[in-house]
Amino acid sequence: MKREKAKATRTRFSPVMIAMCVILCLYVISLILPFAWGFINSFKSRLDFLHNSIGLPEQWVWNYGTVFKHFRVMITNDKVGQKFVTLPAMFGNAILYSLGSAIVSAIVPCMTAYLCARFRYKFSNVMYNIVIITMILPIIGNGPARIQITRAIGLYDSIWGMWIINAGFTGLYFLVFYNVFKSLPKDFTDAAKIDGANNLQIVLRVALPVVRNALLTIILIKFIEFWNDYQTPLVYMPSYPTVAYGLHLMEKTTENAMNTVPMRMAASMIMFLPIIIVFLVLQKRLLGNLMVGGLKG
């Protein structure tokens, strides 16, 4: 019996499974090799990289100190005039922009989905249909109009203004929260009302605990997305450059100390450091499935 059970549980490697394993291994290698290449070359000198761009450095050079000391971005506009923004300042702008935008872009669809799912009015159906339509129809060419609107209402060139702009409820995450709140038994909210809870207390103590894991996971995913975003700060926050924006400008710099590949690789590793820390600390949540929680009887 034991031998039969062992044979039954033994994994059978079919040709399709072997081919998929080979493809996945090649895919993983294709992701690791560029990172390893950039990390090794970040410790080379300019001449060492020109003569040996693949192997290990002949002499390990600490380019990170030079990047921290000399890497800066010059901005010129009517708001701040002309000034240089250093790397620590860019890190501060990136943290404020990424963290604030991630929080509002996760909480707003969550609250909107709760209102549409729990309060069945005609306007709730309108909001739901708006989300579906915006996901189906591509919105192209609205950039100039969006810039004019943000200028008109005073949200242009400010970090808190970007928080408001990113506080949208449309997208896939709205549907995730909507389905969870819609499946939430009405007995839960009715029991809370009997106990004297108002609508705000029901949201905080009944609804949010159900989607807490999903909400935190979405905040982490959005934080990584905004951290790597350089186009939005480039267009909407010219006075507050982020690390991604500075790295984008570093490609075009003409400073002798910064226009080499090893320096750019060192700057890329510095920008990648917060993402590595987030991944190592919260890898179980990031690698897990996007589970929206469950209800226990």
Side-chain angles (χ1 to χ4, degrees):
M1 292 293 293
K2 293 182 179 180
R3 292 181 180 179
E4 293 179 358
K5 290 182 180 180
K7 291 181 180 180
T9 57
R10 188 177 300 170
T11 303
R12 296 181 179 179
F13 291 96
S14 62
V16 176
M17 183 177 295
I18 295 175
M20 292 180 61
C21 291
V22 172
I23 294 174
L24 289 176
C25 291
L26 293 176
Y27 176 71
V28 172
I29 293 173
S30 67
L31 296 177
I32 295 177
L33 283 181
F35 176 80
W37 179 84
F39 180 75
I40 293 174
N41 284 301
S42 65
F43 292 96
K44 293 181 179 180
S45 63
R46 178 176 178 273
L47 294 178
D48 190 7
F49 174 79
L50 293 176
H51 293 90
N52 179 25
S53 61
I54 299 178
L56 294 175
E58 295 182 359
Q59 183 179 0
W60 295 80
V61 181
W62 184 250
N63 295 319
Y64 294 87
T66 305
V67 172
F68 266 106
K69 184 177 181 180
H70 297 286
F71 182 35
R72 57 185 182 175
V73 173
M74 186 182 70
I75 57 175
T76 304
N77 54 47
D78 297 334
K79 183 177 180 179
V80 298
Q82 184 177 6
K83 72 172 186 178
F84 286 97
V85 180
T86 59
L87 186 59
M90 286 187 280
F91 261 101
N93 295 333
I95 292 174
L96 291 176
Y97 165 67
S98 304
L99 186 60
S101 299
I103 292 174
V104 298
S105 62
I107 291 179
V108 170
C110 179
M111 294 294 98
T112 307
Y114 174 80
L115 295 175
C116 293
R118 305 306 295 178
F119 299 95
R120 304 301 299 169
Y121 299 110
K122 292 183 179 180
F123 188 71
S124 300
N125 296 329
V126 173
M127 298 286 286
Y128 182 84
N129 292 329
I130 289 175
V131 174
I132 299 299
I133 292 173
T134 54
M135 293 179 65
I136 296 175
L137 298 179
I139 301 176
I140 302 175
N142 65 336
R146 190 179 182 185
I147 294 176
Q148 291 182 358
I149 293 174
T150 55
R151 286 180 179 274
I153 61 180
L155 300 180
Y156 183 78
D157 201 9
S158 64
I159 296 178
W160 64 268
M162 293 309 305
W163 296 348
I164 298 176
I165 293 175
N166 291 320
F169 66 92
T170 58
L172 177 63
Y173 298 132
F174 172 88
L175 299 179
V176 173
F177 291 125
Y178 180 85
N179 291 328
V180 177
F181 291 135
K182 190 175 181 180
S183 61
L184 182 67
K186 194 176 180 181
D187 296 339
F188 281 73
T189 57
D190 291 341
K193 289 181 180 179
I194 294 174
D195 293 336
N198 54 32
N199 289 329
L200 180 59
Q201 292 174 335
I202 292 174
V203 172
L204 297 177
R205 298 184 179 182
V206 179
L208 287 183
V210 175
V211 296
R212 179 180 56 188
N213 293 334
L215 185 62
L216 294 176
T217 303
I218 292 172
I219 290 176
L220 292 175
I221 295 174
K222 298 297 290 186
F223 174 80
I224 296 175
E225 176 183 341
F226 288 118
W227 181 268
N228 295 327
D229 180 22
Y230 72 90
Q231 294 180 342
T232 302
L234 173 65
V235 177
Y236 293 94
M237 297 192 312
S239 300
Y240 304 95
T242 61
V243 183
Y245 175 38
L247 190 63
H248 168 69
L249 294 180
M250 190 178 184
E251 183 182 358
K252 304 176 182 179
T253 185
T254 57
E255 294 187 30
N256 294 330
M258 293 288 107
N259 64 352
T260 63
V261 174
M263 291 296 177
R264 293 170 181 171
M265 293 298 102
S268 300
M269 295 298 109
I270 293 174
M271 176 187 169
F272 195 58
L273 181 62
I275 304 301
I276 288 291
I277 295 175
V278 170
F279 176 78
L280 294 177
V281 175
L282 303 170
Q283 57 178 324
K284 292 183 179 180
R285 186 176 297 277
L286 288 173
L287 293 177
N289 294 326
L290 187 61
M291 302 301 293
V292 294
L295 300 176
K296 296 182 179 179

